[in-house]
Amino acid sequence: MNMVRQTLLVVILASVLQVSMGGVYKVGDGSGWTTIGNVDYKKWAADKTFAIGDVVVFEYNPQYHDVMEVTHAMYRSCNASSPIATYTTGNDSITINSSGHHFFLCSVPGHCQSGQKVDINVVRASSAPSQSPVPTVAVPVPSPSGAAAFYATFGKSVFAALTICIFA
């Protein structure tokens, strides 16, 4: 009976802990969110696979830039007159909570027209269950860059260690 309880505990823990920690992406990588250096944000986004739960980080000088989330039509025409959301801190972390396209641009005159806009396309998650034998564990950490480093180092091993302790 003890083995049944342990197995049930592992199943319950796996269900509770099977929360996937999203990736963290700094828009423009080392260049950040800028008009300097001819950053190609379309190319930057094209080689990434974004998922629900991912965080996109816009780092910029707030004296010269901002971030507006806009509709597709507004994105295409570089119109920021009625944004969905406005960000102005210079270090904006935006968690993606839905699939589909998420359009962002800088509303400073001329910046969007010169290419300071990005389309974050989030693919719809598969309805099939994960094939991973060990679920990932989401652990809150203070900063997006710290989260990525922590997850890369400890993500799946935390659950594996917990499972080993239970069965030991």
Side-chain angles (χ1 to χ4, degrees):
M1 186 66 166
N2 194 22
M3 185 63 152
V4 171
R5 285 183 186 163
Q6 287 177 341
T7 303
L8 182 58
L9 180 60
V10 169
V11 169
I12 291 170
L13 283 173
S15 299
V16 170
L17 295 176
Q18 195 165 10
V19 175
S20 184
M21 184 172 182
V24 178
Y25 298 94
K26 179 180 173 188
V27 177
D29 294 325
S31 298
W33 186 240
T34 184
T35 54
I36 299 171
N38 297 320
V39 179
D40 185 343
Y41 293 106
K42 184 175 185 175
K43 183 177 179 181
W44 173 85
D47 70 351
K48 293 167 182 55
T49 303
F50 299 102
I52 294 171
D54 285 352
V55 176
V56 288
V57 179
F58 290 85
E59 289 184 6
Y60 56 93
N61 184 332
Q63 293 179 332
Y64 304 108
H65 305 286
D66 59 22
V67 178
M68 304 282 177
E69 184 172 3
V70 296
T71 66
H72 184 233
M74 294 172 73
Y75 173 84
R76 290 183 55 199
S77 65
C78 288
N79 175 358
S81 62
S82 303
I84 296 167
T86 302
Y87 305 92
T88 59
T89 70
N91 189 14
D92 305 314
S93 296
I94 302 166
T95 302
I96 304 299
N97 294 316
S98 62
S99 60
H101 292 268
H102 299 268
F103 302 100
F104 300 93
L105 55 80
C106 180
S107 72
V108 173
H111 289 198
C112 178
Q113 291 84 349
S114 68
Q116 194 176 6
K117 62 183 188 175
V118 65
D119 172 4
I120 305 294
N121 185 16
V122 179
V123 296
R124 185 172 300 276
S126 169
S127 59
S130 170
Q131 297 301 315
S132 174
V134 180
T136 40
V137 178
V139 178
V141 291
S143 72
S145 58
F150 183 86
Y151 176 69
T153 306
F154 299 108
K156 292 185 179 182
S157 62
V158 172
F159 182 76
L162 180 60
T163 303
I164 290 168
C165 289
I166 290 171
F167 281 109

